[in-house]
Structures are given as structure tokens and as C-alpha cells.
Amino acid sequence: MIRNNLQKFKKERTLVLIKPDGVERGLVGEIINRFEKCGLKIVGLGIVRASKNQIDRHYPKTKNWIENLGNNFIRSCEENNLKFDLKKDLGVNNIFELGLMVRRWLIDFMCSGPIVKIALEGNHAVEVVRKIIGPTLPYKAPPGTIRGDFSIDSPIVANLEKRALKNLIHASGNIQEANFELKIWFTSKELLN
Ligand code: CMP
């Protein structure tokens, strides 16, 4: 029983996607280097042009998740004292529709260029990867994290330019999400044991 649990913790897996901005800027080697140097093992790796369908399956479609995207948009505007009318300025009727619009921006962005998919394994892989990447918003991410060192993008600029936030990397948020996302990007044969 102890041996089984030990393996479970040592072999935790997570998914990382280097988004089109990271690939275009030539940061693939630097990003992979940071994961390897801290001790995580690469158990799957590839460069792909994702289809809209693949990205659509990757990002959740629940009402909660979509409304959360809409609420993020509104929060950024409020924090920057920008007033807007959902219908007149954005052509949407409610927060859900606003979230759907942001989700379409995300899909377009993820399909706009090649992305690098990486499956990583190691102790607390999900948490460790998120620590190395840093918080979602690059302009707030501290130095020493990938987002903090290589990007200053901000949600208000992204919103006004009607595009997704360019934050270099996607990483699974928890173990359940990691298991789901790894299956979207890798077949079992493509993952090493
Ligand atoms: P990702 O982690 O791939 O999936 C959810 C995306 O929502 C995230 O990348 C960001 O691109 C985007 N996102 C998260 N928070 C905000 C925010 N406050 N403003 C704009 N976009 C955001």
C-alpha cells in the first residue's frame, strides 16, 4: 500500500502547452530548460498546429467557466475605470455571451501558430509547474517565473484589442484536469513509462 502511494506521488503528471506567442518568440528551449532543471521529467513532447476542434475540446464549456471568462473581462475594465455597454460596445447581451466571445478569442489565438505540447512527470507536478510559470496575468507575475521574466501582457490591453491574453503557457490546474487534458493531446503510446 505504501509502495503504491509512493509511485502515485512520484509519478504525478501534468500537461503544459507553450502557446503560439512562446513559440513565435523562440522561447521553447528556455521554457523546457526551466522544467527540466527543477527535476521534472519529460514523458511526452511534440510540436503541433492545433485544430479549432482540438482547442474547443481542451477548454471547458461549462456555464461557470464561460461566465468566469466574462467576469474576468468586466473586472479588468472596472479596475481600470473603463465603462462600457455590453450591447453597444461589444454586441453581446449578457456575461455568458461575453465569456463565449472571449473563449472564441482564445481558440483563434491557440490556432494562430504552432504550439508545443509537453507531458511532465514528478513530485507534485501540477503544483510545481504552476509555481515555475507564475500567475496568469504576465504583468503581475513576479520575476523568476516564466511569465514574469518573458511577458508584460495585460488583460485590459488584450480586451481593448479584442484578443486573448498572451501569457505564453497553459498548464493544467489540478490532477483531474491534467488527466483530462493529457488525453486530448497525447495517445497512451506517445507517453513514456
Ligand atoms: P489558459 O490558462 O490557457 O486558459 C484560460 C485563459 O483565460 C487563460 O489562459 C488566459 O489566456 C485567459 N485569462 C485568464 N484570466 C484572464 C483575465 N483576467 N483577462 C483576460 N484573459 C484571462
Side-chain angles (χ1 to χ4, degrees), residues 10-172:
K10 285 179 79 169
K11 289 186 176 290
E12 184 173 306
R13 288 183 171 185
T14 190
L15 174 82
V16 165
L17 298 176
I18 305 180
K19 297 183 181 186
D21 54 330
V23 177
E24 191 184 354
R25 290 181 50 203
L27 294 172
V28 173
E30 172 74 38
I31 290 171
I32 292 178
N33 189 24
R34 291 190 179 207
F35 295 132
E36 277 193 310
K37 272 206 295 210
C38 87
L40 288 163
K41 258 188 227 162
I42 299 171
V43 291
L45 181 65
I47 185 157
V48 289
R49 263 327 267 249
S51 66
K52 285 204 172 190
N53 178 282
Q54 203 168 14
I55 302 294
D56 185 55
R57 281 189 291 130
H58 171 86
Y59 284 119
K61 289 192 191 73
T62 59
K63 187 168 181 279
N64 234 352
W65 197 85
I66 290 169
E67 285 187 345
N68 197 36
L69 287 180
N71 281 321
N72 283 343
F73 185 108
I74 289 173
R75 193 175 326 116
S76 312
C77 292
E78 283 173 357
E79 280 172 8
N80 291 281
N81 301 316
L82 280 187
K83 294 207 178 358
F84 66 95
D85 182 277
L86 277 182
K87 188 72 190 167
K88 267 196 224 145
D89 295 317
L90 300 163
V92 296
N93 294 302
N94 50 49
I95 293 178
F96 181 77
E97 285 184 17
L98 178 62
L100 277 182
M101 187 178 80
V102 176
R103 193 175 182 278
R104 280 195 296 274
W105 294 347
L106 267 173
I107 294 175
D108 287 345
F109 171 52
M110 294 296 276
C111 294
S112 68
I115 60 181
V116 171
K117 56 178 188 175
I118 314 168
L120 291 166
E121 180 182 281
N123 305 341
H124 304 281
V126 170
E127 219 177 308
V128 170
V129 161
R130 290 177 77 88
K131 177 187 71 175
I132 294 171
I133 290 171
T136 306
L137 308 182
Y139 86 101
K140 282 193 178 171
T145 64
I146 295 172
R147 286 173 175 151
D149 285 349
F150 298 111
S151 178
I152 53 166
D153 202 18
S154 97
I156 192 64
V157 174
N159 290 349
L160 292 173
E161 290 182 345
K162 301 198 170 174
R163 62 163 173 84
L165 182 75
K166 293 182 179 172
N167 61 356
L168 299 169
I169 293 169
H170 165 84
S172 311

